[in-house]
Structures are given as structure tokens and as C-alpha cells.
Amino acid sequence: MQPLGRRYEFTTPFVASCLLAVSLLCWISGYIGSLGFPIYEEVRAMPFWNAVCQYLQDKGMAYLVGAALMLACAFLIHRANYILILIREKTLLPVLLYLLFISTHSEFLPLRSTSLGTFFLILSVYFTFKTYHDIDNTHDPFNAALNLGIGSLFWAHILCFLPFVWYALYKFRSLTVRSFLATLLGVGVIHWLTLFYCLIQADYTLYEQLYNSFFFVPLDFTGYGWSHWLFILCLMGLTGLSAMNIFAHEYDDNLRTRDYLSVLIRIAFGAFALHFVYEQSAEEFLEITCFPSSILIAHYFTVVRNKLNLWLFYGVCIMLISIFLIEYGVFD
């Protein structure tokens, strides 16, 4: 018989190797099947992103850049988790889950404008978390907003997360008049420089696109297949389960970690809500959700390591792989 209090290990070297291999095979399959390629310029997209698209007309280069951005985001998640101690134990599970989420959703391959947006959002969240209980810190709030400003040049909707920065500063007891103005300055610097560039070029397309991006159109649910809904339910169901476990056992973590996780929960569900508000950027917001969700879900599977959750973990992995195979057309 198994001991009643036995704690199961989810990220054994074998499991980690399998998840990495699955992620790699998904990218190879996507490359062979030309998923998401060619990358077209969009009328509503930011001019800087359309400029990037012009240089990604080679399939190999597009997939190489997309994979590099995914790995860069995974590395930042790992470093943030390691430095800020978001999860009590040292684990690669957030990285593995993030790679799995991105790799098994065919709409994310090879890259979208939000692939760059996620990179800058993670940096923004990291700088925001560094302000914890530091009311004299104006440098990190400035850097947090600066990264959002840079990201908005490629994906305008990243500015929707600026209120989450303000909420985090409030939650961390570091919101002051100076830190608030620092965030406005961080975003303003980028757009003042961009405005100066537009004045020189006598072309204000960038600001027209930025303004038009925030006119929302609710998501048309009829356009989603059952496999797509299954991915959403899997991602947000696990995130909700993780959030409930955090709130139910909030005193198991120290106050700093609880505050960090609380902000990540709000970012995850905020991005999920925006997924249904902006039809034109629905997939982008869903991809953003993968960042906080990978940390929250990894936290759950790390602290609740019973046999039931072991099977849940394996079942989720198999489900995500099956969703990719269905969308890829293997079972057609």
C-alpha cells in the first residue's frame, strides 16, 4: 500500500524530457504543415509589427524567431520565479507548462504580435514585483511602464495591463504620487519619441492604429470549434482551481508570495476577460493568459502533490497534445 501522506513528483527527468520533446515535435509538425504561415500584415495591426512581418517571409526564419521568443519568455518566467520565489520549491514546472501551452495551440505558431507583447509584459511584471514595500522606488515603476510602452509599438492592447501595474503597486504598498507619475512617464517617453518620429515622417498611421485598436468588438463564439473551447476550458479551469487553492490555503505562503500570486491571478483572469471583449485580438489575449497561468498552475501541482493530481497532471498533458493533433488534422 502507498503511504497516506505520500507526495508524488510531477517533474521527474523523464517527464520533463517528454514534455520538452512534445513541445519540439509540435513545432516541427507546425513547420512541416506550415501552421500560421505565411504571416500576413494586418490592416488593424501596429505599423511596427507589420514591418516585422515583412522580414519574416521565410518560413524557417519565422519559426526560428517564434521559437526564440517563446524560449526567451520561458527563461524570464524561470528567472522571475527563481528570484522572487513565487513557488516555494525550486522547479522547472512553470517553464514546462508555458512551453506546452504555447506549443500545443496551433493558433500561436509560429508567432503573433503578442509573442513580443508577452516578452515585454513579463519584464513589466518583474519590475513591478521588485517594488514590494519600497515606497521610495520610482526606477522600477518607470521600467515596468517603459516595457509596456515598448510592447505597445508592436501590440497596442498591452496598454490594457497598465491598470494592473497600478493595482500591483497599491497591493505592494508602494503606490505613491511619485511612483504613479513614474509609470505615466515610462509610457509617455516611448510615445513622445514615436510622436517625434511621426512628425518628421509626416505620417501618423501609428497613432491612428493605436487609437483604433481600443474600439472593441465582442467575441463571436460561433467561430470557435470544440477543440478550441477545450483548450480554453482546460487552461482557465486549471487556473481557477489553482486560485481557489491559493485562497483556501493563503496562510501556507508568506505575505509577499501571497501578494505576488494575488496579482498574477488578476492578470490571468483579466487577460481571459479581455479575450472575450476584443475579437480582433482574442488569440493574443489567450496567449498572454498562458504566462500567469503557467506559474499559478505550477504552484498548485507543486504544493498539492497527491495521486489524484498526478493523474490530473498527466491527463491535462495528454489532452493538450490531443488538441494539437486534432487541430493539425491528424484525425481527419
Side-chain angles (χ1 to χ4, degrees):
M1 293 181 61
Q2 298 291 354
L4 183 62
R6 178 174 176 180
R7 289 168 62 85
Y8 292 84
E9 180 58 52
F10 292 5
T11 54
T12 62
F14 175 74
V15 172
S17 300
C18 287
L19 292 180
L20 289 173
V22 165
S23 299
L24 178 60
L25 288 174
C26 288
W27 279 82
I28 293 174
S29 301
Y31 177 82
I32 295 173
S34 298
L35 290 179
F37 190 85
I39 302 173
Y40 297 105
E41 299 179 37
E42 300 177 14
V43 175
R44 295 182 178 181
M46 297 297 287
F48 281 95
W49 170 245
N50 284 335
V52 171
C53 293
Q54 293 177 4
Y55 291 98
L56 295 176
Q57 298 305 309
D58 177 73
K59 184 168 71 171
M61 179 58 68
Y63 267 82
L64 183 62
V65 172
L69 280 172
M70 180 188 69
L71 292 174
C73 291
F75 174 76
L76 289 179
I77 290 173
H78 173 68
R79 291 300 299 169
N81 178 50
Y82 181 80
I83 295 173
L84 300 171
I85 316 179
L86 301 174
I87 300 176
R88 278 174 265 167
E89 301 179 16
K90 292 182 179 180
T91 176
L92 289 175
L93 194 53
V95 172
L96 296 173
L97 287 174
Y98 180 78
L99 294 178
L100 187 66
F101 289 146
I102 298 299
S103 301
T104 54
H105 196 290
S106 59
E107 294 293 332
F108 297 158
L109 302 181
L111 80 163
R112 307 177 71 96
S113 57
T114 192
S115 300
L116 284 165
T118 304
F119 179 83
F120 289 109
L121 179 62
I122 296 173
L123 285 175
S124 177
V125 170
Y126 172 72
F127 282 119
T128 303
F129 281 14
K130 286 179 63 180
T131 67
Y132 192 83
H133 278 206
D134 188 356
I135 60 174
D136 295 323
N137 188 343
T138 56
H139 181 71
D140 287 322
F142 173 84
N143 285 335
L146 183 71
N147 278 282
L148 292 182
I150 297 173
S152 69
L153 298 179
F154 302 96
W155 183 53
H157 293 93
I158 197 175
L159 293 178
C160 292
F161 294 94
L162 184 58
F164 289 96
V165 172
W166 295 331
Y167 169 78
L169 293 175
Y170 168 77
K171 184 74 174 178
F172 300 157
R173 292 85 171 170
S174 55
L175 180 62
T176 63
V177 174
R178 293 178 61 208
S179 62
F180 177 76
L181 293 177
T183 60
L184 296 181
L185 183 61
V187 173
V189 163
I190 299 300
H191 289 279
W192 290 335
L193 292 174
T194 307
L195 178 60
F196 181 70
Y197 173 80
C198 292
L199 287 171
I200 295 176
Q201 299 295 320
D203 182 1
Y204 301 94
T205 305
L206 187 147
Y207 278 93
E208 292 175 2
Q209 294 298 93
L210 182 67
Y211 176 76
N212 293 331
S213 295
F214 291 96
F215 285 97
F216 64 88
V217 178
L219 182 66
D220 181 9
F221 297 98
T222 59
Y224 276 4
W226 68 269
S227 60
H228 197 110
W229 279 115
L230 193 59
F231 180 89
I232 293 176
L233 291 174
C234 177
L235 179 64
M236 296 315 302
L238 286 174
T239 305
L241 179 63
S242 306
M244 287 189 292
N245 180 73
I246 290 170
F247 291 138
H249 302 87
E250 59 178 336
Y251 295 109
D252 291 351
D253 293 303
N254 59 49
L255 180 60
R256 179 188 291 259
T257 301
R258 295 202 303 268
D259 287 342
Y260 286 159
L261 295 176
S262 174
V263 171
L264 288 176
I265 289 171
R266 282 161 175 79
I267 293 176
F269 283 99
F272 185 58
L274 291 169
H275 165 80
F276 293 102
V277 172
Y278 289 101
E279 182 183 27
Q280 67 273 29
S281 287
E283 293 304 316
E284 282 80 359
F285 280 112
L286 187 61
E287 185 173 349
I288 286 289
T289 307
C290 294
F291 147 54
S293 292
S294 63
I295 298 175
L296 295 169
I297 296 170
H299 179 274
Y300 174 73
F301 283 124
T302 302
V303 299
V304 188
R305 296 190 300 184
N306 54 39
K307 191 172 185 178
L308 179 62
N309 280 330
L310 180 67
W311 287 111
L312 175 62
F313 176 76
Y314 289 149
V316 167
C317 293
I318 293 172
M319 181 186 298
L320 291 172
I321 296 168
S322 300
I323 290 172
F324 178 82
L325 294 176
I326 292 168
E327 293 184 339
Y328 188 69
V330 172
F331 300 121
D332 290 345

